[in-house]
Structure formats: C-alpha cells, structure tokens
Amino acid sequence: MSVPAHIKWTYLPQGDRSLLIRFSDHEVIEQEIGQLCVQAAQALRDSALPGVVDIVPSFNAVVVHHLPGELSQAALQTHIEQVLLHVFSKTANLPTPRIVDIPVCYGQEWGPDLEDLAQLLSVSQERVIQLHSQKPLLVFMVGFAPGAPYMGIHEPELDVPRRATPRTHIAAGSVAIANRQSIIYPNISPGGWHVIGRTPLTLFQPGQTPPTLLGPGDQVRFVPISPEQFQNWPAPT
C-alpha cells in the first residue's frame, strides 16, 4: 500500500485514555493539513475501532479517546496505522465534501466591526464582503462552544489579528474573522474576533441529530443577504 511521501504522521499518548495523531508541528494553519485531519478522523470513525469512544480533529492533529481496558495503546496504534495507510493510499476513494451555504447580513448592527475593519485594511466595506464570501472555506474543527466552526483559509488581504479588546457580549449567529479565519458564534458569548455580520441560521440544536449545523470537513459558502431578508428569515423548526 503506497502513501504519498509528503503525508506523514506521528503518535503521542495523552495519558491512558487518549492517543494524539499529529500531522504537522507547524504553528501556521494549512489547508492541506486540515483536510488530512478531517479525512483521518472520518476514516477512523467509519472503522469502528474497538474501545474508541470519541475522535476529535483539530487544525493539525486528531485525538482518539478510548477505554483503557479494551485495547492496549500499542494494539490500538496498530489498528489506527492500518486505517490511515488505507485512507491516504493513492487508491483510496475520498468522499466529496458537503457544501453548506450560510446567509450573512453584513455590517450595521449585524456586523459592528465591518466599517473599522475596512478602514484598517484600507479597502471598502464592499471589498471586505467580497473577499469574505468569494470562495468556500474548510471547516477545520468545531471549537470553543457547541457548534462553533473554525473556517479558513481567507486570502492574505483579510489577514487581521484579533481585536485589541475582546467583547463581553456577542450576539448568537455573529460571523467574525481573525488570523485569516472565520468563526460563527452559536450563542451569546464573549469573544475577541472582528464581527462583520450575522447569520439567521441556528448552529446548535441539541434536540436534533446531528445537533450541529456544521462539522469538520464541510465547505462553507457565505452568501450576503439584505437586512430585510435577515429579519424575515424563517425561524428554526
């Protein structure tokens, strides 16, 4: 079974219940590494490894959580290695990513940082919106709050740091950017990213299956909508 030479991974035990599979030690977020993590996590889920209770992808690694009594970590690593060798072989059939359109009302009360951000970048607000919505973004991981997706990577023109002063209150559905990434706040929370718009969609509904609107590996397309469309958007069922 042949695996492309540029695809490499290492293992690092995290106590007796978790095994970290690292695909890169770089601090810079890379699209290809994120896709490798997503593919690995999905393949490991599909393989239904004995004793595994959760599999969590991130920007550059995948954590496999397991029960300590089912398999030794050495045996588990052997199973994982077989799965990864298959999924990253030149003959493996990789699934087509799901594309999800996310409507966004940009600026004004829905995106209070859009005007300042445009000035910071020395472009128009319309240009910021164009850059933000011009291409699909990969969902690398679901992060700090239930259903909160980390998406990227934006063009270098949208490379801005986090806000100097975080907010203590950000509205649910707020779409924000920092470090060439976007995030959507699924509920009211504090946050330090630049809020440029808001979606009327609900990202987390615990009573549904799955409870999150977006998951790792999805491709998100931001679609600009008017304030009228936002206000008249149907409520979630």
Side-chain angles (χ1 to χ4, degrees):
M1 188 175 296
S2 177
V3 175
H6 69 285
I7 299 179
K8 303 180 185 298
W9 56 87
T10 57
Y11 299 98
L12 181 63
Q14 306 289 294
D16 65 345
R17 296 173 182 266
S18 298
L19 184 63
L20 180 74
I21 310 166
R22 186 179 293 279
F23 290 90
S24 173
D25 291 323
H26 297 164
E27 294 296 331
V28 177
I29 297 171
E30 301 175 61
Q31 183 98 5
E32 182 183 21
I33 298 300
Q35 290 172 330
L36 293 179
C37 293
V38 167
Q39 292 164 8
Q42 188 58 56
L44 292 170
R45 287 192 197 98
D46 293 342
S47 66
L49 296 174
V52 171
V53 295
D54 199 9
I55 297 168
V56 184
S58 66
F59 293 107
N60 62 2
V62 176
V63 176
V64 178
H65 297 281
H66 61 92
L67 300 174
E70 293 288 333
L71 283 178
S72 68
Q73 285 206 341
L76 178 63
Q77 184 172 316
T78 298
H79 283 275
I80 291 173
E81 187 76 7
Q82 293 172 348
V83 173
L84 297 185
L85 286 173
H86 172 72
V87 74
F88 293 129
S89 71
K90 294 178 180 178
T91 58
N93 294 319
L94 300 178
T96 301
R98 185 176 70 127
I99 298 178
V100 183
D101 288 341
I102 301 293
V104 180
C105 184
Y106 288 94
Q108 303 179 58
E109 63 185 272
W110 300 275
D113 292 327
L114 179 60
E115 182 176 359
D116 289 344
L117 187 63
Q119 292 179 1
L120 176 66
L121 296 172
S122 299
V123 298
S124 66
Q125 295 182 48
E126 290 74 18
R127 177 60 177 164
V128 174
I129 295 170
Q130 179 189 31
L131 289 168
H132 189 256
S133 60
Q134 69 181 0
K135 69 174 186 179
L137 300 178
L138 171 68
V139 178
F140 283 90
M141 57 181 285
V142 175
F144 76 101
Y150 286 83
M151 299 161 283
I153 300 170
H154 288 296
E155 298 296 335
E157 197 172 349
L158 277 186
D159 188 6
V160 292
R162 293 164 56 95
R163 285 172 50 89
T165 304
R167 287 188 171 90
T168 59
H169 183 284
I170 294 178
S174 291
V175 178
I177 66 172
N179 303 321
R180 296 182 64 187
Q181 300 173 65
S182 280
I183 193 172
I184 305 175
Y185 293 90
N187 45 34
I188 296 173
S189 68
W193 293 33
H194 303 271
V195 178
I196 62 172
R198 195 184 308 167
T199 180
L201 302 184
T202 300
L203 272 73
F204 180 65
Q205 298 187 72
Q208 294 191 1
T209 303
T212 59
L213 176 64
L214 299 171
D218 287 343
Q219 295 278 342
V220 168
R221 292 185 301 206
F222 290 111
V223 180
I225 61 173
S226 67
E228 291 74 23
Q229 288 174 298
F230 181 94
Q231 292 167 347
N232 294 322
W233 203 269
T237 58

